[in-house]
Amino acid sequence: MKKEETRVGDLVYVICRNPHTATATLIQEAEVVENPNKKEDKVLSLNDMYYAFAEDDAVFPTIDDAKRVYKQIYDED
């Protein structure tokens, strides 16, 4: 999901990798909010921090979409 497809107030789901534990990856809910430093821009609010959208971010409109991709990437069946 690209930044242009979101609106302020949307809840989205992000596949996040824990920077301290390489094997820990999970799905987290984030909110699309105004960038506090640049009001005309949108950022993700996640874990009480702001994150800019990047082209390669794994951001999904629904938890089911995020779970489907997560399973494709990380499921070891």
Side-chain angles (χ1 to χ4, degrees):
M1 173 173 222
K2 297 188 183 302
K3 178 168 61 171
E4 299 81 30
E5 298 172 323
T6 65
R7 293 183 299 202
V8 170
D10 284 352
L11 293 179
V12 295
Y13 298 88
V14 183
I15 298 176
C16 300
R17 184 172 302 219
N18 183 329
H20 305 292
T21 308
T23 59
T25 304
L26 55 123
I27 299 170
Q28 291 190 295
E29 184 179 73
E31 183 178 4
V32 178
V33 298
E34 285 183 347
N35 183 334
N37 300 315
K38 191 176 175 186
K39 297 291 184 194
E40 65 277 1
D41 195 20
K42 297 178 280 190
V43 294
L44 296 172
S45 175
L46 177 67
N47 297 328
D48 297 323
M49 297 191 64
Y50 298 110
Y51 297 92
F53 278 86
E55 285 298 316
D56 60 348
D57 283 345
V59 178
F60 303 91
T62 69
I63 188 73
D64 290 334
D65 290 337
K67 285 179 180 179
R68 181 179 41 76
V69 172
Y70 182 94
K71 185 173 178 150
Q72 289 173 353
I73 296 169
Y74 297 104
D75 196 15
E76 296 181 10
D77 284 342

